[in-house]
Amino acid sequence: MRIARAALATAGSALLLAFAHPNPLRENGAGFVVFFALAPAFMALRGVRARHGALLGALFGSAFHALSNYWLASWHPAALAFVTVWEALFFAALFASVSAARARFPRAWPLLVPLAWLACERLRSVGALAYPYGFPAYALYGFKPALGLAALGGIEAVSLAVGLANAALAAAAEAVPLARLPGAGRESRPVSSHQARAGASAAALIALGLLVAGGIFPAGGVEPGGSLKLALVQPALAGRQSGAADYDRAVDRLLALSAKAAESRPDLIVWHETAVVPAIDWHLRYRREPAVYKVVRKAADGVEALGIPVLLGTGRSESVGGDPSRRLSWNSARLSIPGLPPAHYDKTRLVPFAERFPAASVFPRLAARVERELGYFWQAGAGPDPLVLDGVPLATPICFEDSFPDLFARFAERGARAFILLTDDSWSRSASMSRQHLAMSVFRAAETGLAVARATADGISAVVGPDGAVLASLPRGVEGVLHAELPLALPGSARSGAAARGAWLGRAALAACALALFSALIVRLRTGRRRRGLRG
């Protein structure tokens, strides 16, 4: 019965956390909910064995991701199933650790549990299957102190503040005698000893201090260095393109919108990720598919006729050993400047299973089957090198890449003065997903102090200022062009330290958790020896 109540509280936490993020009931989300969403789950782990904690963690991870990432099913039902199972494993380990920490460290657990949460986020963000979606901090994309805190210590600092607030609330709630609660009988006893009061007070003060620091030192503050006039083209294309007819319709719509945008003489016209799916330059060179060649010829000639630089998403291919029947392909951003050869940035962080298959050499048949089912896989790019427009280095990350603070920091270190993100979220058919994705761009702007422009297929196209404020946007599902000024930072003034400090926080949390678990193991071994000695 106790486990059943714990499962109910855990499921409630998952529901609250999903509601805090953008969701079908509240498109912008209810960010303030993150400050208490996790408390029921933390309370549910009191007095629970580690193995039962693991089951509760699996329930939390699978329920939360099924609720918040439901849009993955639009890509393929297997994508949603895999993510829910994969994330359930992380949260199973997390909740088992939390239940153990609560038992072994009754005074300090309000401080240790947030560190365990942060360590889990760190592990979810690295490796071949990294999937850093759903961090509670991202629900606070409209909360200025959270953005200021991200500018100081990365998204990890915000996650730490959220975890501390929830742990402090859980400990405070447990200290309330059940006899004082409505409906409790006389025989009820206090939910918790008062051992955790000091830890809870410390957790609350640290969380408050972190958020106050974020308010005192707001995001932004990078020296301005002019701006670019952008025309972000949003064609309101729905679903994935497949075949020359789809490619042709997309190019016609993009060129028509761009011709109208060119009348205002912007500095740069921007199309979304894989706006032209076939590799333009490869098909212009080899002409192996006449129908596709006609499309890329139309796109290349149309872009040139605009007489204005155009940044667009397309495939990029190279033949292997000069044999056009064998080629390697990249998901690429292509910058076309009148009178100059095109320049490219190739996406470096590819989406697992959608754009690459981990361990394809080990499971070649399975990799081939997944590729046939979901599309085709890309090669990873060489690195985050900005493209240069009229002497201005511009970072051009693609889609999922705005999930990674370290990648944006590396762009900034290499001289980028602003970001222009190309993405296509139309496959999700979800306003919630578009808003969740925008939240990531907001935090990347706050961390680096560089503005982020977003060109999307069907929304939300936007320009985010260096402080994380959304300066202009075009709603999801609207066909049109967003004309906006993209603020530029002075050369060399971008920040890259926030991501590094955030990564350090994550690694420190991992080290602290490892040390706590090791000390708990030593105590357990010593206790076992004493008991055996007494029996002898």
Side-chain angles (χ1 to χ4, degrees), residues 9-70:
T10 300
S13 265
L15 181 62
L16 285 172
L17 185 56
F19 184 69
H21 290 275
N23 61 81
L25 298 179
R26 191 180 177 97
E27 184 179 329
N28 294 330
F32 67 93
V33 173
V34 296
F35 289 113
F36 57 85
L38 304 178
F42 291 167
M43 294 172 68
L45 292 169
R46 176 177 177 265
V48 172
R49 293 180 181 272
R51 63 175 179 269
H52 292 145
L55 293 175
L56 293 174
L59 170 63
F60 179 92
S62 57
F64 168 66
H65 284 87
L67 290 168
S68 64
N69 287 188
Y70 66 91

Side-chain angles (χ1 to χ4, degrees), residues 42-257:
F42 291 167
M43 294 172 68
L45 292 169
R46 176 177 177 265
V48 172
R49 293 180 181 272
R51 63 175 179 269
H52 292 145
L55 293 175
L56 293 174
L59 170 63
F60 179 92
S62 57
F64 168 66
H65 284 87
L67 290 168
S68 64
N69 287 188
Y70 66 91
W71 35 263
L72 283 171
S74 298
W75 182 266
H76 197 284
L80 179 59
F82 177 83
V83 165
T84 55
V85 172
W86 179 247
E87 295 298 326
L89 296 176
F90 280 100
F91 283 94
L94 171 63
F95 277 44
S97 301
V98 169
S99 62
R102 293 214 51 173
R104 296 292 176 183
F105 304 98
R107 291 182 175 85
W109 78 260
L111 297 172
L112 288 175
V113 167
L115 292 177
W117 187 280
L118 187 57
C120 181
E121 288 191 355
R122 177 66 183 170
L123 292 174
R124 292 170 57 206
S125 302
V126 298
L129 296 176
Y131 188 73
Y133 265 69
F135 291 0
Y138 284 121
L140 298 172
Y141 68 98
F143 187 45
K144 288 186 178 180
L147 298 178
L149 183 55
L152 296 173
I155 191 74
E156 291 86 352
V158 185
S159 290
L160 180 60
V162 170
L164 287 165
N166 277 274
L169 180 61
E174 288 178 355
V176 177
L178 281 180
R180 298 178 185 174
L181 297 180
R186 283 188 175 184
E187 301 301 320
S188 300
R189 60 184 176 82
V191 177
S192 170
S193 71
H194 300 297
Q195 290 177 309
R197 277 188 172 179
S201 298
L205 288 174
I206 295 171
L208 181 61
L210 288 171
L211 292 171
V212 168
I216 294 174
F217 303 101
V222 173
E223 289 293 325
S227 63
L228 283 178
K229 290 173 58 180
L230 296 185
L232 304 175
V233 178
Q234 183 171 294
L237 296 170
R240 286 177 278 181
Q241 301 177 41
S242 58
D246 285 349
Y247 305 154
D248 192 53
R249 281 192 294 269
V251 167
D252 283 342
R253 188 179 301 183
L254 287 160
L255 287 174
L257 290 168

